[in-house]
């Protein structure tokens, strides 16, 4: 079975530009979460989507937005890029979304974003 | 504030020796606990989880973890380390009463296993 896939693998953008990252969950998984991993740190939660609705948001500015499509794939958008947005962006999928969920999240390989 | 601490930035072990990677957490209620491993330029790979029940949980590749509620710890262990276990290990918690099932990660521990 295919795992979580993300595209592109690497991306270089200039300050002030906008970027869109894409994620396809494991087949049968309806929940997608996005995390930002800055070099040398653990991943930080950005968003969770389930059934096309936002179910959780981390402490990120409004420049960050996301959406989930009917096929459960997801996009993460970042506007007005800053140097500090340079990071590995990870997508994770799981079978369901609730706080009581017993299911673990499975992560994709990530998109490495470099802002110059 | 909810947090996860991995007190060791790096753990060095000789191949064949037992290994322990430490994790403590500060979360209200009874959280769900996870361990993930990250190889260079790769995403996170799930190792094991504690939800409820037996305090010792077994996971992938011979790893296990011990949950200690009184010490709010969830240490990762393996009886005999392999060179291929060298990687970055993350402990994560998911508070039961939180938004959207988010994971809170520690800062990671670099495990180095020497032959």
């Amino acid at each position: 079975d295919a795992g979580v896939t993300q595209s592109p693998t690497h991306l270089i953008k200039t300050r002030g530009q906008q970027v869109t990252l894409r994620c396809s969950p494991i087949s049968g998984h309806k929940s997608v979460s996005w995390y930002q991993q800055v070099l040398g740190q653990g991943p930080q939660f950005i968003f969770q989507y389930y059934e096309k609705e936002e179910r959780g948001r981390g402490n990120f500015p409004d420049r960050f937005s996301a959406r989930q499509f009917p096929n459960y794939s997801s996009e993460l958008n970042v506007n007005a890029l800053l140097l500090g947005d340079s990071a590995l962006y990870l997508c994770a999928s799981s079978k369901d979304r609730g706080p009581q969920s017993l299911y673990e999240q499975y992560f994709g390989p990530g998109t490495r974003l470099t802002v110059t | 504030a909810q947090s996860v601490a991995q007190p060791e930035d790096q753990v060095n072990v000789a191949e064949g020796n037992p290994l322990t990677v430490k994790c403590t957490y500060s979360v209200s209620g009874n959280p769900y606990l996870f361990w993930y491993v990250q190889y260079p330029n790769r995403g996170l790979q799930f190792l094991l989880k504690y939800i409820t029940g037996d305090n010792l949980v077994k996971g992938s590749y011979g790893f296990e973890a011990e949950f200690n509620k009184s010490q709010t710890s969830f240490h990762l262990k393996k009886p005999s380390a392999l060179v291929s276990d060298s990687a970055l290990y993350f402990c994560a918690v998911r508070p039961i009463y939180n938004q959207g099932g988010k994971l809170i990660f520690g800062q990671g521990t670099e495990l180095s296993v020497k032959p």
Side-chain angles (χ1 to χ4, degrees):
Chain A
D1 288 341
V4 178
T5 59
Q6 293 185 243
S7 63
T9 305
H10 295 88
L11 206 50
I12 299 176
K13 290 287 188 177
T14 304
R15 278 178 297 177
Q17 286 187 317
Q18 175 266 340
V19 67
T20 298
L21 311 180
R22 296 176 175 82
C23 170
S24 292
I26 293 171
S27 178
H29 287 192
K30 297 182 178 181
S31 173
V32 170
S33 299
W34 287 95
Y35 292 81
Q36 180 196 65
Q37 185 180 17
V38 174
L39 194 63
Q41 297 182 19
Q44 297 290 317
F45 173 76
I46 310 176
F47 286 112
Q48 185 187 29
Y49 275 77
Y50 179 77
E51 292 286 12
K52 298 175 289 181
E53 292 188 14
E54 181 183 305
R55 299 297 184 179
R57 172 186 283 258
N59 294 324
F60 281 81
D62 292 343
R63 299 185 295 107
F64 288 77
S65 63
R67 56 179 175 169
Q68 187 177 33
F69 299 98
N71 65 354
Y72 304 112
S73 67
S74 177
E75 287 182 352
L76 175 70
N77 296 285
V78 187
N79 294 322
L81 285 167
L82 304 173
L83 294 179
D85 295 331
S86 295
L88 180 67
Y89 288 84
L90 295 165
C91 173
S93 75
S94 64
K95 290 186 177 182
D96 59 20
R97 54 90 181 175
Q100 302 298 326
S101 170
L102 303 181
Y103 296 106
E104 58 276 13
Q105 296 181 12
Y106 291 90
F107 286 79
T111 294
R112 174 72 62 186
L113 172 64
T114 301
V115 182
T116 62
Chain B
Q2 301 174 108
S3 64
V4 177
Q6 293 180 240
E8 300 155 318
D9 290 336
Q10 185 163 10
V11 170
N12 298 308
V13 178
E15 187 176 31
N17 284 0
L19 69 87
T20 298
V21 182
K22 296 179 181 178
C23 171
T24 60
Y25 63 90
S26 176
V27 173
S28 57
N30 296 315
Y32 298 157
L33 300 158
F34 303 82
W35 275 100
Y36 286 85
V37 59
Q38 187 175 34
Y39 296 97
N41 301 313
R42 301 283 296 274
L44 275 67
Q45 183 175 343
F46 170 74
L47 281 179
L48 51 78
K49 66 182 177 184
Y50 174 82
I51 303 297
T52 187
D54 193 348
N55 289 343
L56 184 65
V57 294
K58 296 186 182 298
S60 306
Y61 313 117
F63 284 95
E64 57 190 27
E66 186 169 12
F67 170 64
N68 187 316
K69 186 175 182 178
S70 63
Q71 297 185 3
T72 60
S73 67
F74 189 54
H75 300 331
L76 181 70
K77 301 180 180 182
K78 188 174 183 181
S80 178
L82 300 173
V83 172
S84 58
D85 292 330
S86 298
L88 187 58
Y89 289 80
F90 289 97
C91 178
V93 300
R94 185 166 72 223
I96 291 180
Y97 301 107
N98 83 104
Q99 57 176 3
K102 76 175 183 180
L103 293 174
I104 302 171
F105 284 88
Q107 72 273 28
T109 298
E110 185 80 38
L111 173 66
S112 178
V113 182
K114 301 295 185 185

